[in-house]
């Protein structure tokens, strides 16, 4: 089947590559000429495990092509996937300017039946706006053409996106057209071999499903962080509490790990947009707003612990930071807790020595060259001359480091564990001061 993917960013690239992998004829179009040139040269602009091989293999086979020529791209595909960014606007709502611009592009070239698929995460009612934009362009040109608009939200986890797409838990399709529904069923059949995964519903329910999923997952994280802060005051160990409640199958272990807050391109943006959508609908979503507020506060916990440990004086101190990406297996630093920590340290007059296996280039892009930031080539290099270590991202290579060597390199043997990956008692026995998240009166924890 012929597909056009509008947007060669994270969602568009994963969608295009995975659709091509099962034999479809895919064209990805983007207005960023530099990005398209890089993709045509075989360079992938993001880090996502397995994606580079997938893109290169399908490009070499001729099933995946990249272009800046919008008109030709629209004419190519029966399916027109809109996978452009919807960054948060100043008021917290999703910025739909790129989505609606693509809709107008499609309308200008529409001459036969197309299925326009909203893949971007968008507020409820966006499909109606996309349809209206296309109809407006057609009317202004005095033309008529058949098309359907479908909501097909993505559920991709950064760091596991290829697997999520190839073996999905569910495929949500919102449509009011039987014709479009049948075509989408055919398109997704290769991904539903062992059992039917496609769930059909109306457009607005599909749009809300995406926000509901991310909102609920973010709620679990913020709830556990609230409990972790309470555990510190009550002398309880949140890690034992986590195991105790996670064993209940109604709760489960997923997304109940306390830490220094969530980040990334989805949860912060989607929770904010959901709260904004509620206000626009005349409803005060108190729980959703609380989730956002708790997370904003939690991102300051590591700095607060540093500040307290040094008696309120961070000026002149150097903090080693392990982990810059918002989670392992990605180079994405959007809304990352590391950014909140580093910026607070800088504001207080401190310095940062940081290491991340993948996000070094992204950190350089964001912060440029500055005296108070040293980006290191290894975890151990980051410790040289540092007064403390803050673990912010739980990369695998940080889980079992050479602790005696760490103690030698640090000016002061103190560890601020923002992901609770270490045993406080073991570190205390090795001569470290240990600060975790919600560890209460655990032996060795401060």
């Amino acid at each position: 089947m012929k597909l056009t993917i509008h947007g060669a960013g994270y969602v568009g690239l994963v969608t295009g590559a995975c659709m091509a992998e099962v034999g479809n004829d895919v064209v990805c179009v983007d207005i960023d000429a530099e990005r398209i040139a890089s993709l045509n040269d075989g360079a992938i602009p993001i880090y996502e495990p397995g994606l580079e091989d997938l893109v290169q293999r399908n490009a070499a086979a001729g099933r995946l092509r990249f272009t800046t020529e919008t008109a030709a791209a629209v004419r190519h595909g029966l399916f027109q996937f809109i996978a452009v960014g919807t960054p948060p606007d100043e008021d917290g709502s999703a910025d739909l300017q790129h989505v609606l611009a693509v809709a107008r592009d499609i309308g200008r070239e529409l001459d036969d039946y197309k299925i326009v698929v909203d893949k971007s995460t968008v507020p409820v009612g966006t499909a109606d706006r996309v349809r209206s934009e296309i109809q407006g362009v057609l009317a202004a040109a005095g033309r008529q053409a058949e098309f359907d608009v479908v909501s097909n939200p993505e559920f991709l986890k950064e760091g596991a996106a290829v697997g999520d797409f190839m073996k999905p838990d569910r495929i949500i399709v919102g449509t009011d057209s039987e014709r479009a529904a049948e075509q989408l069923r055919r398109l997704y059949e290769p991904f539903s071999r062992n059992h039917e995964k496609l769930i059909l519903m109306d457009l607005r329910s599909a749009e809300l499903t995406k926000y509901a999923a991310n909102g609920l997952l973010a709620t679990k994280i913020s709830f556990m962080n609230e409990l972790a802060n309470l555990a510190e005051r009550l002398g309880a160990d949140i890690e034992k509490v986590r195991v105790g409640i996670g064993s209940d199958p109604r709760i489960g272990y997923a997304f109940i790990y306390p830490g220094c807050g969530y980040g990334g391109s989805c949860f912060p943006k989607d929770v904010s947009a959901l709260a904004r959508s509620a206000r626009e609908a005349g409803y005060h979503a108190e729980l959703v707003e609380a989730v956002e507020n708790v997370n904003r506060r939690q991102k300051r916990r590591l700095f607060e612990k540093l500040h307290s440990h040094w008696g309120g004086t961070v000026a002149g101190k150097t903090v080693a930071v392990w982990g810059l990406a918002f989670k392992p297996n990605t180079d994405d630093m959007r809304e990352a807790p590391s950014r909140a920590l580093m910026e607070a340290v800088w504001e207080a007059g401190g310095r940062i020595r940081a290491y991340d296996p993948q996000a070094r280039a992204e950190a350089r892009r964001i912060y440029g060259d500055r005296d108070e930031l040293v980006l290191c080539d290894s975890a151990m290099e980051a410790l040289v001359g540092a007064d403390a270590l803050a673990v912010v991202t739980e990369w695998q290579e940080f889980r079992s480091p050479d602790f005696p060597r760490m103690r030698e390199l640090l000016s002061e043997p103190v560890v601020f564990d923002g992901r609770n990956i270490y045993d406080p008692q073991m570190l205390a026995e090795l001569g470290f001061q240990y600060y975790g998240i919600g560890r209460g009166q655990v032996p060795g924890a401060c």
Side-chain angles (χ1 to χ4, degrees):
M1 304 182 83
K2 293 186 175 183
L3 287 73
T4 297
I5 312 291
H6 296 266
Y10 185 83
V11 173
L13 203 51
V14 172
T15 300
C18 291
M19 284 295 189
E21 178 72 2
V22 297
N24 293 300
D25 182 1
V26 180
V27 170
C28 287
V29 59
D30 199 293
I31 61 173
D32 187 336
E34 185 177 344
R35 169 166 292 198
I36 291 299
S38 295
L39 287 166
N40 281 323
D41 288 338
I44 307 302
I46 58 174
Y47 175 73
E48 179 63 38
L51 182 59
E52 185 172 4
D53 289 343
L54 204 64
V55 169
Q56 292 176 350
R57 179 168 63 249
N58 285 281
R63 293 188 297 266
L64 180 60
R65 301 186 298 283
F66 303 99
T67 184
T68 57
E69 298 296 328
T70 302
V74 173
R75 290 193 294 270
H76 169 79
L78 165 63
F79 297 96
Q80 302 286 317
F81 278 81
I82 301 179
V84 294
T86 54
D89 217 334
E90 292 183 3
D91 61 1
S93 63
D95 185 348
L96 296 178
Q97 63 173 315
H98 303 302
V99 170
L100 300 179
V102 170
R104 291 189 293 271
D105 287 341
I106 294 171
R108 279 189 284 270
E109 303 300 329
L110 201 60
D111 57 7
D112 59 358
Y113 178 68
K114 305 287 185 185
I115 300 173
V116 181
V117 184
D118 284 339
K119 199 69 174 172
S120 302
T121 301
V122 294
V124 175
T126 299
D128 295 335
R129 294 185 64 182
V130 167
R131 180 185 288 114
S132 179
E133 290 288 329
I134 296 173
Q135 288 172 337
V137 172
L138 290 172
R143 296 187 292 112
Q144 291 186 338
E146 284 189 281
F147 69 95
D148 283 310
V149 178
V150 171
S151 175
N152 176 217
E154 53 86 11
F155 296 94
L156 305 176
K157 298 186 296 291
E158 290 195 45
V162 172
D164 286 345
F165 199 103
M166 299 301 292
K167 297 180 180 179
D169 297 316
R170 75 285 206 200
I171 301 165
I172 302 296
V173 172
T175 181
D176 52 13
S177 164
E178 286 293 334
R179 182 181 185 183
E182 182 56 33
Q183 292 290 347
L184 265 295
R185 186 177 284 109
R186 287 180 56 204
L187 178 66
Y188 278 111
E189 187 177 0
F191 306 97
S192 301
R193 287 298 185 185
N194 60 349
H195 66 274
E196 181 59 65
K197 298 177 182 179
L198 191 141
I199 303 172
L200 285 172
M201 58 183 70
D202 62 275
L203 282 161
R204 289 181 172 241
S205 295
E207 290 169 333
L208 183 56
T209 296
K210 170 64 176 182
Y211 279 126
N214 280 353
L216 182 56
L217 295 175
T219 298
K220 292 181 73 173
I221 295 170
S222 280
F223 180 72
M224 284 303 293
N225 284 334
E226 282 275 68
L227 287 182
N229 296 335
L230 180 60
E232 289 183 3
R233 288 157 176 77
L234 297 178
D237 182 1
I238 193 61
E239 289 300 315
K240 289 183 170 58
V241 175
R242 177 183 63 79
V243 174
I245 65 174
S247 60
D248 185 332
R250 296 171 301 174
I251 298 172
Y253 291 103
F255 289 87
I256 61 169
Y257 289 84
C260 50
Y262 61 75
S265 62
C266 294
F267 286 7
K269 172 175 69 71
D270 293 352
V271 170
S272 178
L274 184 57
R276 175 68 182 181
S277 293
R279 289 194 294 272
E280 290 176 350
Y283 181 71
H284 182 200
E286 296 178 71
L287 178 58
V288 176
E289 292 181 359
V291 168
E292 188 174 25
N293 292 334
V294 167
N295 189 60
R296 188 180 298 113
R297 183 181 65 199
Q298 196 68 15
K299 287 182 180 181
R300 291 192 58 84
R301 287 297 292 143
L302 283 182
F303 176 75
E304 289 167 358
K305 289 174 180 288
L306 284 162
H307 189 266
S308 174
H309 172 78
W310 284 320
T313 303
V314 179
K317 300 292 187 180
T318 297
V319 180
V321 173
W322 280 5
L324 297 171
F326 84 94
K327 64 181 287 189
N329 297 320
T330 182
D331 60 353
D332 193 344
M333 288 181 61
R334 284 173 287 185
E335 301 286 342
S338 65
R339 297 178 66 170
L341 172 62
M342 293 192 298
E343 289 163 15
V345 168
W346 292 331
E347 185 177 353
R351 297 168 59 87
I352 297 291
R353 293 178 61 84
Y355 168 71
D356 188 284
Q358 293 295 335
R360 176 174 179 161
E362 180 65 2
R364 182 69 71 198
R365 184 192 69 80
I366 294 169
Y367 293 115
D369 294 319
R370 50 195 305 168
D371 293 339
E372 62 270 33
L373 172 63
V374 177
L375 296 173
C376 301
D377 293 326
S378 70
M380 290 300 164
E381 182 188 343
L383 302 180
V384 177
D387 299 296
L389 166 64
V391 180
V392 185
T393 313
E394 64 276 29
W395 286 93
Q396 286 290 347
E397 67 176 270
F398 301 155
R399 291 183 179 274
S400 186
D402 184 343
F403 289 110
R405 179 63 176 154
M406 289 168 57
R407 194 172 187 279
E408 291 175 3
L409 294 173
L410 286 166
S411 297
E412 182 182 346
V414 56
V415 174
F416 296 86
D417 185 357
R419 298 299 175 185
N420 288 355
I421 62 176
Y422 300 136
D423 179 346
Q425 186 169 354
M426 182 187 74
L427 261 67
E429 292 170 356
L430 291 171
F432 290 90
Q433 283 185 275
Y434 175 89
Y435 294 85
I437 303 293
R439 305 310 301 263
Q441 299 301 315
V442 180
C446 297

